[in-house]
Amino acid sequence: MHPKKDQLRSDAQRNRERILEVALVELTHSADAPLSAIAKKACVGQGTFYRNFPNREALVLEVYRYEVQQVSDTACQLLSTRPPDQALREWMDRLAQYAMAKAGLAAAMRAATSAHGSLAGLGHGPVTSAITLLLKANEEAGTIRPGLTPDDFMLAIAGLWQIDPHSDWQARAGRLLDLVMDGLRAGAPGR
């Protein structure tokens, strides 16, 4: 008797979630945690691991997406209680706080994205959805220049991933994000 397709799918989903949970812990602890150790701690074979995550970059980016969902979900909350530009700026602060709290993950993000020269590999995940929502609200309110894309935004804040989380990161991140916000406002119709 063969297992049902739904059972196979749910087993595969559980394996994937277990890999992500273990990877989050391991990568937060050490940016260069071996993939074999992550697979072993997640109790999956190498084949299962690599079917889900063909390389380190794919795993790191997916862990980032998976964990940052909570930060992304705050975009709606902020927009419902604050003006769009204030919501965007506060959301950037939350993203920075998250990134610095996950020092190893931030280092892994820097390593994973430096090979590609950008964060465009993030694709269409929760962060992109949150950014799209925030940019759209701001564009409609006339508080930022029109025509910006989520990729533009991610490239603009890419310096965030270069900040040493063991330094005075709050002041540096604040200055960087203020500069980004000033740039987004330049040329806004409502200014």
Side-chain angles (χ1 to χ4, degrees), residues 3 35 44 54 61 67 71 86 97 99 103-105 111 116 122 128 147-148 151:
L35 298 184
V44 298
L61 291 170
E67 180 66 4
V71 175
Q86 189 181 341
Q97 287 164 4
L105 187 55
H116 305 294
L122 284 169
T128 303
L148 295 167
D151 280 350

Side-chain angles (χ1 to χ4, degrees), residues 24 62-71 98 102 105:
L24 173 64
E62 189 59 28
V63 167
Y64 173 79
R65 284 189 196 101
Y66 181 77
E67 180 66 4
V68 87
Q69 179 72 53
Q70 185 177 355
V71 175
Y98 165 78
K102 302 288 184 186
L105 187 55

Side-chain angles (χ1 to χ4, degrees), residues 74-127:
T74 63
C76 278
Q77 253 179 287
L78 290 169
L79 281 170
S80 68
T81 58
R82 291 158 178 75
D85 56 339
Q86 189 181 341
L88 176 60
R89 183 61 185 83
E90 284 188 39
W91 185 83
M92 287 193 280
D93 280 336
R94 292 189 189 197
L95 184 64
Q97 287 164 4
Y98 165 78
M100 296 304 118
K102 302 288 184 186
L105 187 55
M109 277 296 294
R110 284 195 295 277
T113 58
S114 65
H116 305 294
S118 79
L119 294 176
L122 284 169
H124 302 289
V127 173

Side-chain angles (χ1 to χ4, degrees), residues 17 25-26 38 47 53 72 109 130-131 140 150 155-156 160-161 163 165 168:
E17 286 171 6
V25 172
E26 295 301 308
I38 293 170
F53 305 104
S72 300
M109 277 296 294
I131 294 165
E140 287 171 359
L155 287 169
L160 186 60
W161 309 114
I163 296 173
D168 179 20

